[in-house]
Amino acid sequence: MSSLAKQKSDLSRAFSEDGANKTHVGGQALIEGVMMRGKYNWAVGVREPDGAIYEEQHDLSSGQAKNGWMYWPLVRGCRAMVESLVLGYKALEIAALHAFNEDEEDAKDAAAKDGVAGGGAAADCAEQAEPAKRDGVAEAASHADCMADGQMPASNEPAFSWKDDFGRPDTMIDALGAQRSLDVVSEPSQPSEAKEASAPAAEDDAVFGKKEMAVSMVLGLVMGVVLFIVAPAFITNLLVGEYDSNTLAWNVVDGILRVAVFVFYIWLIGRMSDIKRMFGYHGAEHKTIHCFEHGLPLTPENARQFPRLHVRCGTAFLIMVMIIAIFVYTITPLNGLISAWGVPDGAPKLVLVIVARIVLMPVIAGISYEITVRWAGSHPDNLLVKVVLWPGMQMQYLTTNEPDDGMLECAIAAMKQVLEREEQEAAKAVGAIEG
C-alpha cells in the first residue's frame, strides 16, 4: 500500500478505495464474533473461551416466489429490516452461548481442585487423628480441626467482606447462604421418577432462557421507541409548543433532538469494555468485506490494511432513517387530521403525533433503504452519494474500532462459510445448465 494511502483518513479511503468486486454480503458484529449473510445462507464465527473459533451456518429461504410483493421497492426495505432483526437475534443467541460457554470447563477445574484439596485435607485429618488414638483419647479424632467430608474448616478461608466481595457473585451467594440452583427433589426409592421429572425441567429451563432473550429484545424495542420517539417529541413540545402551531419548526427540532440522543447513546455505550470489543468486531467485518471486494485472499494480514469504515454499513442506514423522517413527518397532513377530529391541545395531540410517527416508521425505513442500500451502495463514487452518506460515515467512527487479528479471523471464518456456499450453488447452476 502506498504512503499516500496510509495518510488518508478512513473516511476518504472508504469512498475512494471501494473495491471493484461489489458484493451483496453484509454482516453484523456479535459478542466475541461476527455474522455474515449472503444469498443462500448466513454464518457466524465466534471466539470461544479456549481460543478456538466456533463456526455455524444456516440456510436462507427466499420467499420471493410466493410473496413477490415483499420485494417491491419501498416494501423490500421493511422486509429487510425485519429479517435483519430476526437474524441478528438468532446470531446473538448463538454467540452468547459459545462465547461464554465456560460452565463445563469451570466445573471440571473445580472438581479437580476439590479432589486435590479434599485428599490433602483427609490426609491431614488422618494424621491428626492417629496420635489421638495412640494416646488413648477416643474423642480427640472427632474434635480434630477437620470437617466430616475431609475438607479444610471454613475458618481457614478469608471472611466475607462487602468491600472486597461485592463484585463477586459466587462469593456473595455463599456468604448469604443462597441456593445456587433449583434441583428436582425425589424419594431415593424412586429413581426412575426422578429421571422422568428432570427431563421436563431441563426442557423448561431451555425454553425459559429463550423467553428471557425474547423479553429482553421486546423491552429493548420499547426502550428504543421511548428514547428515540417519545422523549424527543415530549421535549420538542415543551420547547416549540403545540405541533400544529409551527409544524416545520416542530419537526426540525424533533429530528435534531432524535439524532442527538442517538449519537449520545452510541457514544455512551461505546465506553463500556464489552461494547468496545463488539465495535472492534464491527471494524473486522468491514475490513473483511473490503478485502474480498478488492480480490485479495482473506487473511488477517490482507484485511488489516483496509479502512474500518464502509459505505454500505447499517449505521449509515440508521442515520438516513432519522434524516428522512424529518421530511416525511413534515409533509404528512397530520394537521388536517387534528382539525378534522378536533383533537385538543396538550397530551391528546402529543399522543396522536407520537402514534403517527410510529405508524410511519415502515414508510421511512423503505425510503431510507432505497437511498442508502440500493442507490448509494451501488454508486459510492457519486458526489451526491458522498454528501448523503457523510453523516452515517461519521457515525461509524463511533460504532467501529480497529480490530486485532483475532477479531479479523472470526470475521474471515464467517465470510468463508458464506462464500463457500455461494460457490457450491454456482457449481450446481452450471451443472444444471450443462446437464
Side-chain angles (χ1 to χ4, degrees), residues 81-102:
M81 185 174 65
V82 173
E83 285 184 354
S84 296
L85 288 173
V86 173
L87 292 183
Y89 166 78
K90 292 179 180 179
L92 282 170
E93 187 178 20
I94 294 172
L97 178 64
H98 291 277
F100 304 117
N101 189 19
E102 297 178 336

Side-chain angles (χ1 to χ4, degrees), residues 208-427:
F208 180 72
K210 291 183 179 180
K211 287 182 178 179
E212 279 185 327
M213 291 194 69
V215 169
S216 66
M217 185 176 179
V218 172
L219 290 177
L221 291 175
V222 172
M223 187 188 75
V225 170
V226 172
L227 197 60
F228 302 119
I229 296 181
V230 177
F234 178 78
I235 296 173
T236 302
N237 218 49
L238 295 178
L239 295 176
V240 181
E242 296 297 330
Y243 180 84
D244 52 349
S245 63
N246 195 339
T247 303
L248 178 60
W250 206 101
N251 284 311
V252 170
V253 172
D254 175 68
I256 293 173
L257 285 174
R258 195 181 306 113
V259 173
V261 169
F262 177 69
V263 172
F264 177 74
Y265 173 78
I266 294 297
W267 173 84
L268 187 63
I269 65 172
R271 300 176 68 86
M272 301 169 59
S273 59
D274 290 341
I275 301 299
K276 282 182 180 179
R277 285 193 59 80
M278 183 176 288
F279 287 171
Y281 281 103
H282 191 189
E285 172 219 329
H286 287 178
K287 285 174 177 282
T288 301
I289 293 177
H290 273 302
C291 185
F292 173 75
E293 289 177 332
H294 282 75
L296 296 178
L298 294 179
T299 64
E301 293 76 17
N302 288 335
R304 193 189 306 132
Q305 63 181 302
F306 293 103
R308 73 179 199 261
L309 276 59
H310 201 288
V311 293
R312 288 178 287 279
C313 175
T315 305
F317 173 76
L318 293 176
I319 291 294
M320 183 59 62
V321 165
M322 295 184 178
I323 296 174
I324 294 296
I326 298 176
F327 295 96
V328 173
Y329 293 151
T330 301
I331 65 175
T332 300
L334 189 59
N335 290 340
L337 292 178
I338 293 174
S339 300
W341 294 348
V343 181
D345 292 342
K349 190 176 293 184
L350 180 60
V351 169
L352 175 62
V353 172
I354 292 172
V355 171
R357 275 157 161 63
I358 296 174
V359 171
L360 287 172
M361 281 306 298
V363 177
I364 297 168
I367 296 174
S368 302
Y369 179 85
E370 297 300 323
I371 295 175
T372 307
V373 179
R374 306 294 296 190
W375 173 64
S378 302
H379 304 83
D381 296 329
N382 187 294
L383 180 60
L384 182 58
V385 167
K386 295 180 180 180
V387 173
V388 170
L389 293 183
W390 187 86
M393 298 296 290
Q394 291 294 324
M395 274 298 299
Q396 290 184 47
Y397 281 112
L398 294 179
T399 61
T400 63
N401 288 326
E402 280 295 331
D404 56 35
D405 284 357
M407 296 174 180
L408 290 170
E409 289 172 356
C410 289
I412 290 172
M415 186 73 166
K416 285 183 175 179
Q417 294 180 78
V418 172
L419 296 179
E420 288 174 1
R421 177 62 181 276
E422 304 216 341
E423 290 175 359
Q424 293 173 5
E425 295 296 332

